[in-house]
Amino acid sequence: MAVQFEGQRAYKHIEALSVDIGPRVSGTEAEKRAAEYVSRQLGEMGLKPQTLAFDLPNEQASFFKLEVLEPEQGEIPALPLVGTPDTPPEGINGEVVFAEFPQEPYVGPHIEGKIVFLANGGILGGNLTQLLKYKPLGLVLIGRTMSKEPNTFHVIRKETNKPFELVPTLHISYENGVKLWNKHIQRARITLKTERKPGQSYAVFAEVPGRGNPDEIVVIAGHMDSVPCDPGATDNAAGVATVLELARIFAQRGSRRTLRFAAWGSEEGAGGGSLKYVLELKKLHKIQKQAPDYIEGYSKTDLEKHILNINLDVLGMSLGSNECYIQASPALEQYLKALTSEMGIHHVFKKEIYGSDNITFGWVGVPAVSFARAGVGTHYMHTPKDDIELIDPGQLEIIGKMLDVFITRTAAEGIIWPFDRNTGEIFAEREAGMKKSMNSIIKLIGEDTSLID
Ligand SMILES: [Zn+2]
């Protein structure tokens, strides 16, 4: 076992993705270059990469501006919430009202026809329905963390805010939000123009075939796209870099079970890449179950062979803390608690569903575990400042070596796979709610919603 996880090698991948390529918005040429980069790297390891392409319209704001008109005039740095409607070329000009939450009684008839400055994290899970019901003229989302940069999110889906119409929306920083509050601003103007083009997005993966139990598949993956104006170094070039470094070591060592190393496109705002991957499995599942030699409970479809998704999303910050989100049997949580303690690496085990590609796997019944790193750097997530300066190769190596040991002991060398194939209690509670938004994304990427029943 001479080959080891090297933080410096992972760092080089982050450089290639976040500096050389830069922001990798789904459906754009830059995301395609990221997919080609990942595919080339996997190929150089001697693996046979596959790329699934799918249609995903891309939307990018070509012009956006926030101006305060009263009591004094001035422009405030802002970023667009892509997916919200354009304004007329001269902008929309309205009276300003501040709201603390997008829910009643913070919003009500008093916001109609006004520009709402929304504190406390803005979209809070994407649900603006109560706010939109009162027909504001426009919306300015104030950053929820003490960041000097506005937070930006790629796309807001019309479907999640039905039946109300979205309004032109911009993001500003927490700092500027406080300044404007203190100045008692009265009027503002929003100008927003978005270009919508047809685009393609991708899922790239390659496998190390299992030499003992090839019919047990573990997917180790991270998303390669980022939001507009965002180099996405921690979120999530670092996750992809860690996947590539793990692929390199297991391509050399081999594995008892099949390991699939993947990079997903269009996670931000959609979850498209991982969804495309599981939908292909689902199509195959239906065909395989009809084969004459398929026996329920004995035979396995390709989907049923999937026993775990290890999802890596937001990693590599120097100062911070490691987080782990279990969407699997409690035995997996116990195992990882013991392992990380044994290795002297502290992890906070969160009792939540991580908002990333792990959810897609949960939808088709595949357990998942997500690893993330939180800290000061998280404030720069989804901003132009999520750049390579936040990355510490030493931290990549710590998480990488832990994952190496975890994968080695269980998937790559374990005699028996020690975890039940279930997605856990927390996921079960949330599943019905999450399925609704999934259907809209299945339609968006041009697939058939009846694939998932
Ligand atoms: Zn991410």
Side-chain angles (χ1 to χ4, degrees):
M1 275 219 282
V3 54
Q4 294 295 332
F5 190 103
E6 292 175 34
Q8 282 297 346
R9 282 184 188 261
Y11 186 85
K12 287 260 179 282
H13 294 310
I14 300 177
E15 222 166 22
L17 292 164
S18 71
V19 182
D20 301 347
I21 299 175
R24 304 169 298 286
V25 177
S26 53
T28 63
E29 200 49 39
E31 192 197 42
K32 186 181 181 189
R33 287 178 60 203
E36 287 166 352
Y37 176 82
V38 170
S39 175
R40 200 163 54 240
Q41 293 298 321
L42 292 167
E44 281 171 16
M45 296 166 196
L47 304 176
K48 294 192 185 77
Q50 297 183 49
T51 299
L52 302 173
F54 54 95
D55 291 334
L56 188 87
N58 78 70
E59 308 185 69
Q60 295 212 80
S62 50
F63 188 82
F64 45 95
K65 197 172 185 181
L66 174 64
E67 295 158 282
V68 171
L69 305 173
E70 285 170 31
E72 54 197 59
Q73 291 207 6
E75 191 183 331
I76 307 299
L79 287 172
L81 179 58
V82 177
T84 60
D86 290 348
T87 62
E90 69 281 9
I92 47 170
N93 164 347
E95 207 180 304
V96 165
V97 58
F98 279 80
E100 297 194 347
F101 283 103
Q103 282 111 35
E104 292 153 345
Y106 302 97
V107 295
H110 65 285
I111 69 164
E112 189 179 333
K114 296 183 183 161
I115 295 182
V116 177
F117 280 62
L118 184 62
N120 278 310
I123 57 177
L124 293 174
N127 196 331
L128 295 171
T129 47
Q130 288 196 15
L131 185 149
L132 295 169
K133 185 168 99 181
Y134 293 105
K135 298 191 166 48
L137 179 66
L139 188 55
V140 177
L141 304 175
I142 301 170
R144 69 186 142 185
T145 51
M146 287 207 210
S147 161
K148 292 192 194 311
E149 301 292 333
N151 283 329
T152 175
F153 297 86
H154 174 215
V155 170
I156 183 160
R157 300 284 166 209
K158 280 188 219 101
E159 293 80 356
T160 56
N161 289 288
K162 266 180 184 168
F164 307 107
E165 290 301 315
L166 292 168
V167 294
T169 303
L170 299 175
H171 292 276
I172 62 168
S173 68
Y174 172 83
E175 202 174 61
N176 279 323
V178 174
K179 254 185 220 162
L180 297 177
W181 168 262
N182 288 336
K183 280 188 181 163
H184 305 283
I185 59 162
Q186 301 298 315
R187 287 194 84 80
R189 176 161 50 217
I190 292 175
T191 317
L192 177 62
K193 169 130 190 65
T194 306
E195 313 253 337
R196 295 177 175 83
K197 290 186 212 143
Q200 272 206 319
S201 186
Y202 307 90
V204 184
F205 65 97
E207 70 176 32
V208 173
R211 61 179 167 232
N213 306 35
D215 285 356
E216 291 178 319
I217 302 171
V218 174
V219 178
I220 301 143
H223 73 85
M224 56 188 159
D225 62 309
S226 71
V227 300
C229 321
D230 170 12
T234 69
D235 180 18
N236 183 37
V240 174
T242 307
V243 169
L244 288 175
E245 201 32 21
L246 289 166
R248 184 182 68 88
I249 64 182
F250 286 103
Q252 293 188 41
R253 291 186 204 154
S255 170
R256 176 186 290 269
R257 292 175 182 78
T258 299
L259 304 177
R260 280 193 182 170
F261 298 92
W264 315 126
S266 63
E267 182 264 356
E268 303 291 1
S274 54
L275 187 57
K276 175 70 183 172
Y277 178 84
V278 303
L279 290 177
E280 292 305 312
L281 287 176
K282 203 68 190 178
K283 286 177 204 168
L284 205 55
H285 176 76
K286 296 204 163 165
I287 297 165
Q288 289 171 333
K289 277 190 91 158
Q290 266 145 32
D293 55 348
Y294 182 87
I295 308 163
E296 193 82 45
Y298 288 91
S299 319
K300 278 185 185 169
T301 67
D302 279 33
L303 176 60
E304 288 163 341
K305 289 176 189 170
H306 281 65
I307 49 177
L308 186 67
N309 165 227
I310 300 174
N311 179 50
L312 309 177
D313 192 359
V314 186
L315 292 175
M317 291 88 106
S318 50
L319 300 182
S321 55
N322 299 316
E323 294 182 340
C324 184
Y325 298 74
I326 306 284
Q327 193 179 295
S329 89
L332 180 65
E333 179 166 351
Q334 291 310 319
Y335 187 95
L336 281 166
K337 277 183 175 163
L339 177 69
T340 49
S341 302
E342 176 194 326
M343 294 186 73
I345 308 164
H346 188 69
H347 270 71
V348 181
F349 285 80
K350 307 277 265 190
K351 298 261 172 252
E352 291 163 38
I353 299 297
Y354 196 48
S356 178
D357 295 293
N358 48 289
I359 296 176
T360 323
F361 281 85
W363 279 331
V364 293
V366 178
V369 53
S370 293
F371 294 93
R373 189 162 167 78
V376 180
T378 324
H379 297 178
Y380 294 118
M381 214 173 110
H382 293 190
T383 77
K385 283 269 165 65
D386 180 3
D387 63 24
I388 191 114
E389 280 183 41
L390 296 176
I391 301 287
D392 173 14
Q395 287 298 345
L396 296 168
E397 197 159 300
I398 289 170
I399 188 85
K401 288 197 160 156
M402 188 278 292
L403 290 166
D404 175 6
V405 174
F406 171 53
I407 296 164
T408 300
R409 289 191 189 173
T410 57
E413 290 179 7
I415 306 293
I416 302 284
W417 180 252
F419 315 115
D420 295 339
R421 192 177 180 277
N422 75 63
T423 53
E425 254 172 47
I426 313 172
F427 189 80
E429 282 165 20
R430 298 263 322 270
E431 198 172 1
M434 291 188 296
K435 265 201 168 148
K436 261 201 229 156
S437 59
M438 176 182 57
N439 277 341
S440 66
I441 301 161
I442 294 176
K443 278 187 212 148
L444 188 82
I445 68 168
E447 299 280 351
D448 177 1
T449 52
S450 73
L451 281 169
I452 295 187
D453 21 67

